[in-house]
Amino acid sequence: MRSADVLVDAFDRIREAVHGAVAGLTAEELAVRIDPDANSVAWLVWHLTRIQDDHLADAAGTEQVWTAAGWADRFALPFPAGSTGYGHSREQVAAVRVDSPKLLTGYHDAVHANTVGYLAGLGGTALNRVVDEDWDPPVTLGVRLVSVIADDLQHAGQAAFVHGVVRRRR
């Protein structure tokens, strides 16, 4: 098994978790926040997908799926196109509302396909390439990808938790 195959498996697991976290929820349920400072399922899934899109596009030297494929327009959120949710206020979290889980999974699936396509082309020592010199030690592509996976899995787990709370309140 190649290193890229292991990474694809991890991103596949994130995709499965995302689909599970939104499955069967209404637009209103996707926006539920269990307290005023908590994140909704919609925000969590949007944010984890934005981070994956942002970081993979940066590593690949390509435009983000968010803008290149028109997802920013479809979501029509009141943020700059480059916003990923990092540092959002409670009001900004509340502004992430969608009409259906399909919008979230559609965007996530598009980013996932882009991610898997990029990973399929990696070979040799590609994971050793430095992608961010602002850290000590500098961040390699492999470390960046593992960081995205860890962050995405945490947020997908949070979304699954909120999903469970919402379902029990029905």
Side-chain angles (χ1 to χ4, degrees):
M1 179 178 259
R2 298 177 325 124
S3 299
D5 297 332
V6 174
L7 295 168
V8 167
D9 182 71
F11 281 106
D12 285 346
R13 291 170 191 236
I14 294 165
R15 183 180 174 275
E16 290 171 16
V18 162
H19 278 259
V22 303
L25 296 181
T26 65
E28 284 302 312
E29 290 170 330
L30 289 166
V32 167
R33 297 165 67 201
I34 57 178
D35 76 39
D37 289 320
N39 298 320
S40 66
V41 171
W43 186 89
L44 287 161
V45 170
W46 170 79
H47 168 66
L48 74 84
T49 307
R50 289 292 298 121
I51 293 298
Q52 184 176 332
D53 191 8
D54 175 76
H55 287 32
L56 268 288
D58 183 58
T62 61
E63 185 177 356
Q64 294 178 27
V65 173
W66 180 247
T67 51
W71 289 100
D73 294 333
R74 282 178 246 178
F75 274 76
L77 297 175
F79 315 129
S83 179
T84 62
Y86 182 77
H88 268 185
S89 67
R90 66 168 53 171
E91 294 79 18
Q92 290 169 312
V93 169
V96 178
R97 297 186 64 93
V98 297
D99 293 334
S100 144
K102 290 181 182 181
L103 186 62
L104 293 164
T105 57
Y107 174 46
H108 188 81
D109 289 350
V111 169
H112 178 75
N114 191 57
T115 299
V116 170
Y118 174 69
L119 294 174
L122 296 180
T125 60
L127 296 177
N128 294 330
R129 179 174 58 91
V130 172
V131 295
D132 189 345
E133 294 187 9
D134 291 335
W135 298 91
D136 185 17
V139 177
T140 63
L141 177 59
V143 169
R144 175 60 46 89
L145 293 170
V146 169
S147 177
V148 171
I149 290 165
D151 187 65
D152 279 4
L153 285 171
Q154 285 186 24
H155 288 313
Q158 292 164 352
F161 174 79
V162 176
H163 176 120
V165 170
V166 168
R167 296 291 298 253
R168 280 195 296 277
R169 290 181 177 177
R170 285 184 175 169

